Each structure stands twice: as structure tokens, then as C-alpha cells.
Amino acid sequence: MAKVKAQRGGILQREMDDKVYNSIMNLLEEQTEIMRSKGIKNGPLTMALAKDLTSLQIFEYVKLKDAFFRRTKDDHLRYSIDRVWKTVIADEEEEMKTMGIDPSTLKMKDEESEEQDNMMEVKDTNQANKSVVSLWKEDNDPQVSATETAEPDEKKAKKRSKDGFKHSKRPKVAKDRTPPTLTLSQLGGLDDVVSQLMEVVGMPILHPEIYMATGIEPPRGVLLHGPPGCGKTTIAYALAGELQVPFISISAPSVVSGMSGESEKKVREIFDEAKQLAPCLVFFDEIDAITPKRDGGAQREMERRIVAQLLTSMDELSLDKTDGKPVIIIGATNRPDSLDTALRRAGRFDREICINVPNEHARLKILESMVRNLRISGELDLLSIAKMTPGFVGADLKALVTAAGISAIKRIFTSLSEEDEKKLLLEGVQLQQEENKEDGMELDENPEELLQKSNEQPQFSKLSIIQKFLIKHPTALTPEQLASLCIEHQDFVTALPQIQPSAKREGFATIPDVTWANVGALANVRVELHMAIVQPIKRPEIYEKVGITAPAGVLMWGPPGCGKTLLAKAVANESKANFISVKGPELLNKYVGESERAVRQVFTRARASVPCIIFFDELDALVPKRESSLSEASSRVVNTLLTELDGLNDRRGIFVIGATNRPDMIDPAMLRPGRLDKTLYIELPNAAERLEILKTLIASNGTPLDSSVDLAVVAHDERCRNFSGADLSSLVREAGVIALKKKFFTSISIGDESIEELHIDDDVVVTSDDFEKALDSVKPSVSDRDRLKYERLNQRMGWSQANVVEQDT
């Protein structure tokens, strides 16, 4: 037994010695790299030697680099280091002897270097640099007297330290805190926000004596929040320019520093400067970057300290501590819910002002302010442009104006380039005719006909409009050429498709491009939707006269393919309201609380884009019945949606449309009055409705029909009995494909080689035979059994069409 233990101990000892040996060699390599980088030599060698190391240095290095030695006893490790170290030194001496180097000479040089290290150090007074700096200061500062240069260097250094003059750093440049030149009168569409800001900020800044006399404490902060691009930063600058007070603009992320305590110091310095400049405004842009909620488990301690410092600094802005001169903090963010709750209480950010997506009237005012300084030709008709830009925020309208200007420049450049090309070409043709006449040849064609032919010829190597213009006009344009440069209404129409609204970039659509012209039949349902959604958005005052203020919710249900989604898009387009399309399952998330947060976020976006229509497609997947077998996560989603529809939150201007083909699976609480209280059954079309749908599809698609086609016969065909709108669209498409096959693929031979002859003809038309073949290949998506099931469900749930208002003939 003792023999086994001894063997095991010997193995462990050899293993430890091997690891120590490798660590010592790694240490020597690192020391050698350092010596080479600094140009230090160890005698004739440029390498570190083991004899120059110390036992403590090796011990600390070994413990740091290998976790195995951290669990080893220090005594065992020291014994191993001593053994291996001696072995490495002996190996080094043998290697140096083989190289012809005497190790004793290296020892002598090391001793000499140690003696030189022990000698007295002479401090460098840096006299030359100091004299140069004194001359520089004397040349740049005329107030420095000749007696000052004669003073000792120590006194000069003290004076410089007192005056704040340092050699290593340049003097700090005073930051510009002058008021901006932008004023509130240059803005548009923000009248409500401006009135609130003048009440909360303007009155205390301009007349603090009122608050001093009455003993009322003025507001200390205002929080501006809203979607990106709605004008939070712009209105803060305009407010400071209107009040003409010092303005301290801080980008919130610039406060954060890598050194501990530096961030809090910056916050204190900002507030100290504000107190000295009072009365003044301090603007924190993107304030959510430095004031997150402190209750998060993964929150960094530095962020908690910044929030605490900001809170205490805002508490010290009372009038008695600022000598009766108010200092008001303005914060801007598009994520107000991420701010710490202590910051949003009274006494800090007293007022929170939401800047929403502008409506049609606000967009008109914004456009009027933006085109005020533009060169305009004719009537711009800004009202029609405002109607064509729903969902656009201020930044989007500014981009639209810029794009319209670029469109106008391209239009003018095109006309100038075309005129220059025409002029040069005519001159060239006339010169060629003169030369031909001199040679006895005459041309029958005149220059205008030659010009027309040259324009008809394809030019594959055309340059862009801007490139052509820059090549032909290298110098500045004359005032006569610039006179035609102006913006027209058509330039805005041309530039509008190029601008993507900010709301659409965030993932939800603004206004669909589907109109009622794309919808066939469904006249009764259209009347119901018109009275429930379109008219309350367009003319809310009429509904308020009869006491109708709460928006209605509509549930459209029926077989698949009957046009439920198409109806919702047409309603949004006609009402010119913002449109948020939510596919039911996309809000569900496997993490606890994320699905409910997604539902709340949808309604938050809708409140910022009033009037807004939220369309929940496949609603049964989002709000199934809350039964015992249902998971807790699904129940929480249903509860969140119910409270958003009819809870404490205001739903004014938010209209909800749901669509499903399984209404029996939806939770009954969703269908009570106040939520989705209006249910519309979208049934399969009859023969007359199928005829109207076919006419609409052919007109919207531009399908060419032969004179032999009778759509009434197709609509009354027995094979179309259970066709939905989607099936009819597939029928028209299939008929068009069959017509193309007959024209394109005339002969196909299959053998060793397959030959395919294409005969492309412009006059491709769809005949009645094409529809006959298409009716044989397209099958209805709803069977007779499914149709009976939907009709029984309609009767059982009491959702018959008795409540549908028939149109007056």
C-alpha cells in the first residue's frame, strides 16, 4: 500500500514539475518579447534569462496562468518551483557554454548594472522645455511682464497651476449656450403642444416673480414623448429660441463615461452650469439612455448611480436655491415606459406631453411652414398632399419636401438637356446639308424629320439626367437658366411613392391601397362598415350629437376567401385612417409576459396614430375560449386584449376589426357590447354577386376578354355554386394562363430533343373556351358540408343577417 502511494506521489510530482517548467518557459518568452520591443540587451544576448527571475515572480505567474496551481498548496508549489528553476538555470549555462559565452561575464555585467541602479538618481528639471513654454506664453500673452519671466521656475509653476494653465492640456473652450435662432412661429401643426409648453415653461421663465409672490413652486421638468420624427427635439430648440434664454443641449449618451464616478460628475457639472446661467433651459435628448428603471436584476450599478444623481440634482432646482431664477429641464424620448418611475413623479418631470402622429389638419400646417421659403410655381394644393400623406410625421414630410425639390431639379435638368441636345443635333444636320450641297448632293428630309428619327432610335448607352447635365454645364448656371427652377404640385406627386413613412418602417402599414373599386358585391356589409367605422372617423361631430362617442368594434366572420381582409383594407383606405394589421399568432411569444407586452404595444402605437384601425386577422388564434384546459399564458393574452378594448385606457379614435372563420372558438367576452359588439357574417356570394365580383376582377386586372365571353353564363354555372371571391380570382387567373398557353406554346415535340416554339402576339384575349377549361380545373375551397355548417352556426349563435341594413334601391 505504501509503495502504491509513493508511486502515485511520484507521478503527481513529475506532473507538477512539468507544468511548472512550461510556465517558466512561457514567462521567459514574454520577458524576451518585452526586451525586444524596448531594445534591451542582456549582454550579447537579446533574451531573458532564468537567473534574472525571482522565486516570487515565478510563483505569482504560475498561480495566475494555471488554475491547477490555485488549488495546490503553496509549500508544495514553492518546492517544485525551486527544483525546476535550478534545472532551467543549469540548462541555460550549458547552452551558453556551447555558444562560447562565459556565464560569469554576464554575472559581472549584472552586478555592474545593479551598482549603477543603486547610485544616486539625478532628477531632470526639464529646464529647456520650461524656458520654451515661458517664451510661448510671453509671446501669446501681452499682459505677461518682463519681471515674471525673471522669476524662478518653481514660482512660475505655482502661478500657472493657480491660473489653471497646464502644459499637458489645452485651455477649455467655453461652450456656446446662446439661444437657438429657431422660433415657435416657424413650426406648424403643434398648436396644442405649444400652448402647454408656454404654460408650463414660458410663464415661469419669463415671469418668475409671479411664483415668488404667490409662493407657488414652478414646474421643474417637462417630458416630451412620442413616435420618432414627430418633432420633440425641434420644438425644444424652438421653445428656447422663442424665450431667448440660455439653452444647454445635452445628448444623454454623452453623459456616460467609462471611469467610475465620471458620469455622476458630468451630471453635477451640467446642473451647476445651469444654476449659474439661470434662467435657462436644459434639454436632455434621448433621456431614456441614462435613466432606465432601477428595478431590473441585470441593471448595471453605474446606471443606478446616474439615475440617483439626476434625481437629487433636479430636487435642488427650487427657486430659493437658484436665487429666484428658474431652471427647467426638458427631456425627450420615444420610450417613456422605460424611464425610472421616480423620475416621472411630480416635482421632477411635472408634465408629460405626448406629441402624436399629426392628423390631416396638422400635416397641412406643417407643409405650409415647410414650403414657406420655397420657390413655387402655380398652386401646390397642399390640402390634397396632406390627404395623400396619412401616417407621415414631421420628419417624413420634410423628406417629402426634399424629394419634391430633387424631382423639380431633375425635371428642369431634363428640359435643359433636351433643348441642348435638340439644338446641337439641328446644327449638325444643317451643317451636313450645307456640305452635301457643296458636293452636289441634296437630302430630301428636313432637319426636323431627322431629329424625330434620331429620337425614335434606341439608345442603350444613355447617361443619367444628372450626369448629362453636369457634363454639358460645368460652370454655374445663369439667372435666366435658374429662373425656370421652381417646385410644382406634380413634383410632390412624383416624389410621394419614394418616401416610406416612419410608421411603416417600424413594421405596420399606414394606409392600404385597396379601394372599394377592388371589392365586388358585399353591398350590405359595406353599408354596415361605413356606418360603424368610416363615418365616425370622417364626421365624428354628427355621432356626438346623438350621444355616440365610443368607437364600435366589428367582427367579420365567414368561410375562407370571402373577402374579410379585403373589406378591412377598403374601409381603412376610404376613411384615410392609419391601419395596423396584426396577424393573430404573431403576438404570441414563449417568454412570460412578452405576449401581453406585444398586445399593449399595438394599442400604444394606435394611440399615437389616432385615428387608427387595428385589424386582427385570424382572431381565434389570439383569443380562444378561456377554459380549464387552456394554458395560463393564453389566458393572460385574452385578459390583456379585453382590458385594452374596454378598460381604463382611453380608446377614443381607435377602431378594432377582427376577422375569423372559426367564431365559435373565440372567447365570449370579446363579443359583448363595448368590444366587438357588431358581428357581420360574410357568406358565400350568390350568382348575381359572383357576376359582380367577376366584373370587378376583370376591370381591376385589365384582363382582355373575347366578345364571345358571357360572364353571366360563367357566374350562373353550377360548377361555381360554392365559389368564394378568392376562388373566382383564381378562376380568372387560370383562364388567362390557358389563353397564354394557346398563344405562346404552339408546338412541343418530345423525343431526343424537345423543341419549343414561342409565338408572341400582342392581341392575347381570353375566350369562353378558356373559362370552360378553367372551370374544370379550379375547384371550390368550401364544400357543401362546410357551407351548411356555417349556416347552422349563424342560426345557432343568433348572428343572422336580420341586423344588416339593406341598401335603399
Side-chain angles (χ1 to χ4, degrees):
M1 193 66 166
K3 186 177 181 181
V4 172
K5 286 184 178 180
Q7 291 177 354
R8 186 183 302 170
I11 294 172
L12 293 176
Q13 183 176 346
R14 286 195 299 272
E15 184 178 344
M16 182 185 297
D17 290 348
D18 292 340
K19 290 186 176 183
V20 171
Y21 180 83
N22 293 332
S23 298
I24 292 176
M25 299 308 295
N26 292 334
L27 177 58
L28 290 174
E29 289 180 2
E30 292 182 7
Q31 294 289 337
T32 302
E33 291 294 331
I34 294 173
M35 292 174 63
R36 288 175 180 172
S37 62
K38 294 183 178 180
I40 301 174
K41 287 190 176 182
N42 197 345
L45 302 175
T46 309
M47 59 179 292
L49 299 177
K51 66 182 184 61
D52 297 331
L53 301 176
T54 62
S55 177
L56 179 61
Q57 185 179 5
I58 298 173
F59 178 81
E60 292 177 350
Y61 182 83
V62 167
K63 295 274 282 189
L64 178 65
K65 293 295 182 180
D66 198 335
F68 170 76
F69 294 119
R70 296 174 199 159
R71 300 187 297 269
T72 308
K73 291 184 179 181
D74 292 350
D75 294 340
H76 295 172
L77 181 58
R78 292 182 190 276
Y79 294 149
S80 178
I81 289 173
D82 291 339
R83 287 194 301 270
V84 176
W85 188 23
K86 291 178 181 179
T87 304
V88 173
I89 292 175
D91 293 342
E92 280 184 352
E93 291 179 352
E94 291 179 2
E95 289 180 3
M96 283 188 287
K97 287 179 181 179
T98 56
M99 295 169 60
I101 300 174
D102 188 4
S104 60
T105 58
L106 294 178
K107 288 183 180 180
M108 291 295 294
K109 290 184 178 179
D110 292 340
E111 291 173 0
E112 291 177 1
S113 61
E114 288 179 2
E115 291 179 0
Q116 291 178 359
D117 293 339
N118 294 328
M119 293 177 65
M120 183 180 67
E121 296 182 1
V122 180
K123 292 184 179 180
D124 186 8
T125 58
N126 202 11
Q127 185 64 32
N129 288 339
K130 289 180 179 179
S131 61
V132 172
V133 171
S134 63
L135 292 174
W136 174 83
K137 185 176 179 182
E138 184 177 354
D139 294 338
N140 288 276
D141 191 359
Q143 297 181 358
V144 177
S145 61
T147 57
E148 184 180 353
T149 58
E151 291 179 359
D153 293 335
E154 294 179 0
K155 292 184 178 180
K156 289 182 182 179
K158 289 181 180 179
K159 281 191 175 184
R160 285 195 293 269
S161 62
K162 290 180 181 179
D163 295 339
F165 180 78
K166 298 180 181 179
H167 299 294
S168 59
K169 294 183 181 180
R170 294 183 179 180
K172 289 186 178 180
V173 180
K175 295 182 180 179
D176 185 17
R177 304 301 189 190
T178 56
T181 57
L182 184 66
T183 60
L184 293 174
S185 60
Q186 300 176 11
L187 305 181
L190 296 170
D191 298 336
D192 296 338
V193 178
V194 168
S195 61
Q196 294 183 58
L197 285 174
M198 293 304 292
E199 174 189 344
V200 179
V201 180
M203 181 65 73
I205 289 290
L206 298 178
H207 295 285
E209 68 276 2
I210 298 176
Y211 293 87
M212 294 289 290
T214 57
I216 300 174
E217 190 69 27
R220 297 180 189 173
V222 178
L223 183 65
L224 303 176
H225 62 90
C230 59
K232 300 181 292 293
T233 305
T234 305
I235 199 170
Y237 278 84
L239 181 64
E242 186 76 19
L243 300 177
Q244 287 298 306
V245 292
F247 184 64
I248 303 176
S249 178
I250 305 296
S251 177
S254 65
V255 174
V256 181
S257 177
M259 298 293 292
S260 179
E262 284 294 321
S263 303
E264 300 90 286
K265 181 183 177 182
K266 288 182 180 179
V267 174
R268 290 193 298 269
E269 290 176 350
I270 291 168
F271 279 85
D272 291 341
E273 183 183 1
K275 291 178 183 178
Q276 295 175 2
L277 297 174
C280 76
L281 295 178
V282 182
F283 175 60
F284 284 93
D285 201 3
E286 303 296 339
I287 194 172
D288 56 282
I290 60 172
T291 57
K293 292 182 178 179
R294 292 175 291 175
D295 53 1
Q299 195 73 21
R300 292 194 301 170
E301 191 64 30
M302 181 191 69
E303 295 177 350
R304 291 192 178 98
R305 293 198 306 269
I306 294 175
V307 175
Q309 181 62 60
L310 190 60
L311 296 177
T312 54
S313 299
M314 292 186 70
D315 290 338
E316 295 175 357
L317 294 180
S318 57
L319 287 179
D320 55 346
K321 295 183 180 179
T322 58
D323 297 331
K325 298 176 181 179
V327 176
I328 296 181
I329 311 298
I330 301 177
T333 179
N334 53 9
R335 300 169 59 237
D337 294 335
S338 64
L339 266 67
D340 190 78
T341 53
L343 199 66
R344 302 177 67 181
R345 72 159 175 84
R348 286 160 185 166
F349 282 123
D350 298 83
R351 184 74 66 89
E352 295 186 4
I353 300 176
C354 180
I355 305 177
N356 292 323
V357 176
N359 54 21
E360 182 180 322
H361 177 71
R363 292 195 298 271
L364 176 61
K365 295 294 183 183
I366 294 171
L367 287 171
E368 288 177 352
S369 63
M370 287 183 176
V371 303
R372 193 175 297 161
N373 299 324
L374 299 181
R375 181 186 289 181
I376 299 169
S377 174
E379 182 64 30
L380 284 183
D381 194 10
L382 295 178
L383 182 59
S384 64
I385 297 173
K387 289 182 179 179
M388 291 187 292
T389 53
F392 278 55
V393 294
D396 300 329
L397 294 175
K398 187 176 181 180
L400 176 63
V401 173
T402 304
I406 295 174
S407 177
I409 293 171
K410 285 183 178 180
R411 174 172 51 81
I412 302 300
F413 285 2
T414 304
S415 62
L416 290 175
S417 300
E418 289 177 354
E419 290 177 1
D420 294 341
E421 287 180 1
K422 183 177 180 180
K423 184 178 179 181
L424 291 173
L425 189 56
L426 287 175
E427 290 177 355
V429 171
Q430 292 174 359
L431 183 61
Q432 184 67 33
Q433 284 184 345
E434 291 176 359
E435 292 178 355
N436 292 335
K437 285 181 181 179
E438 292 176 358
D439 298 337
M441 299 174 61
E442 291 187 0
L443 291 175
D444 296 333
E445 297 178 339
N446 57 21
E448 293 290 341
E449 293 178 353
L450 290 175
L451 179 64
Q452 183 68 23
K453 286 186 177 181
S454 66
N455 290 334
E456 292 175 357
Q457 293 176 358
Q459 297 178 1
F460 297 101
S461 60
K462 282 188 175 181
L463 296 174
S464 67
I465 297 170
I466 303 296
Q467 286 176 318
K468 285 183 179 180
F469 181 83
L470 295 177
I471 292 172
K472 295 180 180 178
H473 299 85
T475 59
L477 298 179
T478 62
E480 290 78 11
Q481 291 174 323
L482 292 174
S484 60
L485 191 60
C486 57
I487 299 175
E488 300 176 356
H489 173 76
Q490 188 60 34
D491 297 325
F492 280 92
V493 177
T494 305
L496 190 59
Q498 305 173 12
I499 305 301
Q500 186 182 25
S502 302
K504 196 170 185 178
R505 296 175 191 174
E506 290 185 12
F508 60 91
T510 51
I511 284 192
D513 54 358
V514 177
T515 62
W516 285 114
N518 305 114
V519 181
L522 302 174
N524 298 333
V525 179
R526 176 177 177 178
V527 172
E528 286 295 319
L529 292 173
H530 202 273
M531 296 300 296
I533 295 177
V534 177
Q535 288 301 324
I537 292 176
K538 286 187 172 182
R539 307 179 68 183
E541 65 278 0
I542 298 178
Y543 286 77
E544 291 178 359
K545 288 183 179 179
V546 294
I548 300 176
T549 57
V554 179
L555 175 66
M556 295 186 295
W557 69 281
C562 289
K564 299 182 288 294
T565 306
L566 195 69
L567 282 169
K569 292 181 178 180
V571 167
N573 183 280
E574 185 181 4
S575 60
K576 300 301 179 185
N578 297 306
F579 186 74
I580 301 177
S581 178
V582 180
K583 287 78 176 176
E586 74 179 3
L587 295 181
L588 302 179
N589 197 308
K590 65 179 181 179
Y591 295 105
V592 177
E594 288 298 314
S595 302
E596 300 91 290
R597 189 184 64 83
V599 173
R600 289 193 300 270
Q601 187 177 12
V602 168
F603 281 86
T604 302
R605 287 179 172 178
R607 290 188 193 95
S609 307
V610 170
C612 184
I613 296 175
I614 305 177
F615 176 59
F616 289 99
D617 204 1
E618 304 299 337
L619 187 63
D620 55 284
L622 187 63
V623 285
K625 290 183 178 180
R626 291 172 292 177
E627 299 174 351
S628 58
S629 60
L630 192 65
S631 65
E632 184 182 353
S634 300
S635 299
R636 289 199 304 269
V637 174
V638 176
N639 295 336
T640 305
L641 188 56
L642 293 177
T643 53
E644 288 289 346
L645 285 173
D646 188 22
L648 296 177
N649 295 327
D650 184 20
R651 197 163 65 90
R652 184 180 298 273
I654 301 176
F655 298 82
V656 179
I657 300 177
T660 180
N661 52 10
R662 296 294 303 274
D664 52 328
M665 295 182 62
I666 297 177
D667 192 88
M670 284 292 299
L671 306 176
R672 75 155 178 81
R675 289 167 183 163
L676 300 182
D677 46 6
K678 183 174 289 296
T679 56
L680 299 177
Y681 175 42
I682 316 296
E683 60 181 350
L684 292 174
N686 54 29
E689 291 174 338
R690 289 197 293 270
L691 175 59
E692 187 177 349
I693 292 172
L694 283 173
K695 290 181 179 178
T696 304
L697 288 171
I698 289 171
S700 59
N701 297 336
T703 305
L705 295 181
D706 189 63
S707 58
S708 62
V709 176
D710 188 358
L711 293 178
V713 175
V714 177
H716 287 78
D717 194 291
E718 183 62 24
R719 290 170 288 183
C720 289
R721 191 170 62 87
N722 288 336
F723 270 34
S724 63
D727 298 330
L728 293 172
S729 177
S730 177
L731 175 68
V732 174
R733 184 170 59 252
E734 185 65 23
V737 171
I738 293 173
L740 288 176
K741 284 181 181 178
K742 290 194 304 184
K743 287 290 182 182
F744 284 1
F745 303 96
T746 56
S747 63
I748 301 176
S749 61
I750 301 175
D752 296 336
E753 293 182 359
S754 59
I755 303 173
E756 194 172 303
E757 297 182 3
L758 300 180
H759 293 272
I760 301 175
D761 197 355
D762 292 333
D763 54 350
V764 178
V765 292
V766 181
T767 62
S768 57
D769 294 336
D770 300 332
F771 274 101
E772 283 292 328
K773 294 179 181 179
L775 283 171
D776 293 334
S777 60
V778 177
K779 303 300 179 184
S781 56
V782 179
S783 63
D784 291 335
R785 180 179 299 177
D786 293 336
R787 183 168 187 169
L788 291 174
K789 182 182 69 173
Y790 279 105
E791 291 177 356
R792 285 197 303 267
L793 183 62
N794 185 28
Q795 295 174 0
R796 178 168 59 86
M797 304 188 73
W799 292 342
S800 64
Q801 286 192 330
N803 59 345
V804 177
V805 179
E806 297 290 343
Q807 277 187 308
D808 296 334
T809 57

